[in-house]
Amino acid sequence: MATKRSTISRRRALKTAAAAAFGGGAALLNRGTLAAQGGAPAILTNAQGGRKFKAFVKYSTANLPEVLELTVRPIAGRQLVIRQEAAQTCYTSIDQVLRNDERTPAGNASIVGHGGVGVVEAIGPQVLSCRVGDRVIVNLHAACGRCFNCLNMRSDKCRNTGAANPMPTCTMADGTPVYSATAGMAELLIVNEEYATPIFTSVSPVEISMLT
């Protein structure tokens, strides 16, 4: 006789753990709470192509980064569009910001920084772990929660760690492609879901961003 396997999603496990940890002491954020606090607008799953936002961009080995207006390319697959709430600065950004690193080809534009905290405003058609309106923390390291290593308590060795966006996610005004990966110095983060973990807490995003 076949036995029925009980399954639980990564998202549900995270929410359950948060409820157990905080008890009644902290209000768990739901979509109503987010809306009341000026949170995510009702942007449903869609391509998002053409949406404008500002970011701190390094676009040449010879120039310092600058704030530019970018245009989102249509999202697909496991990509998320996240409205940034807070991001930390990190010493690891020094090379990218200050040094003329000749290992990076000129014109290979990218957004500065890594990680942040924000609210999901759109999802690609293959996304499983996040929903529009979720508050998430974006980290430099992937943890999909579904691969062999993640399921065996070794999320630090997630097999989807190479799943960062391999293609540009946005463009400059002149059409120059820009890579975002897990870049945090921007109004929007465009990342694959493996790098975004839903969080269910009312802790300040400024404090949470220090974890990224």
Side-chain angles (χ1 to χ4, degrees):
M1 180 176 178
T3 57
K4 184 177 180 180
R5 295 185 62 182
S6 175
T7 60
I8 185 169
S9 69
R10 171 179 178 239
R11 186 176 185 281
R12 182 180 298 176
L14 288 166
K15 190 168 185 176
T16 302
F22 290 101
L28 298 179
L29 292 182
N30 55 33
R31 294 182 192 182
T33 304
L34 285 168
Q37 296 178 353
I43 301 176
L44 301 179
T45 303
N46 60 63
Q48 294 288 292
R51 187 175 178 185
K52 307 289 186 182
F53 69 103
K54 292 182 179 179
F56 194 41
V57 180
K58 175 80 169 182
Y59 63 93
S60 169
T61 58
N63 297 322
L64 293 176
E66 62 179 293
V67 176
L68 299 175
E69 183 177 73
L70 304 177
T71 301
V72 177
R73 290 187 170 189
I75 64 170
R78 300 188 307 280
Q79 289 181 316
L80 311 172
V81 176
I82 302 164
R83 175 175 48 79
Q84 183 81 280
E85 289 185 314
Q88 89 297 355
T89 56
C90 180
Y91 72 92
T92 58
S93 297
I94 292 176
D95 283 354
Q96 187 180 17
V97 173
L98 298 179
R99 192 171 73 179
N100 294 337
D101 191 348
E102 297 192 5
R103 292 171 299 179
T104 302
N108 189 8
S110 60
I111 300 173
V112 175
H114 63 78
V117 180
V119 178
V120 177
E121 293 195 336
I123 62 175
Q126 297 175 11
V127 171
L128 298 174
S129 61
C130 298
R131 298 177 184 173
V132 172
D134 279 351
R135 193 179 186 205
V136 296
I137 183 170
V138 176
N139 193 277
L140 181 63
H141 301 286
C144 69
R146 297 186 293 274
C147 71
F148 177 85
N149 288 340
C150 282
L151 292 173
N152 285 276
M153 307 300 289
R154 290 309 307 266
S155 60
D156 60 312
K157 295 185 179 296
C158 175
R159 292 191 171 183
N160 285 317
T161 189
N165 300 322
M167 302 297 291
T169 58
C170 43
T171 58
M172 296 184 196
D174 63 0
T176 300
V178 180
Y179 296 81
S180 64
T182 57
M185 301 302 170
E187 293 175 331
L188 297 178
L189 290 87
I190 305 168
V191 302
N192 278 24
E193 66 172 323
E194 289 85 1
Y195 293 82
T197 301
I199 53 176
F200 303 89
T201 174
S202 58
V203 173
S204 162
V206 173
E207 296 178 74
I208 296 173
S209 70
M210 299 306 293
L211 299 174
T212 66

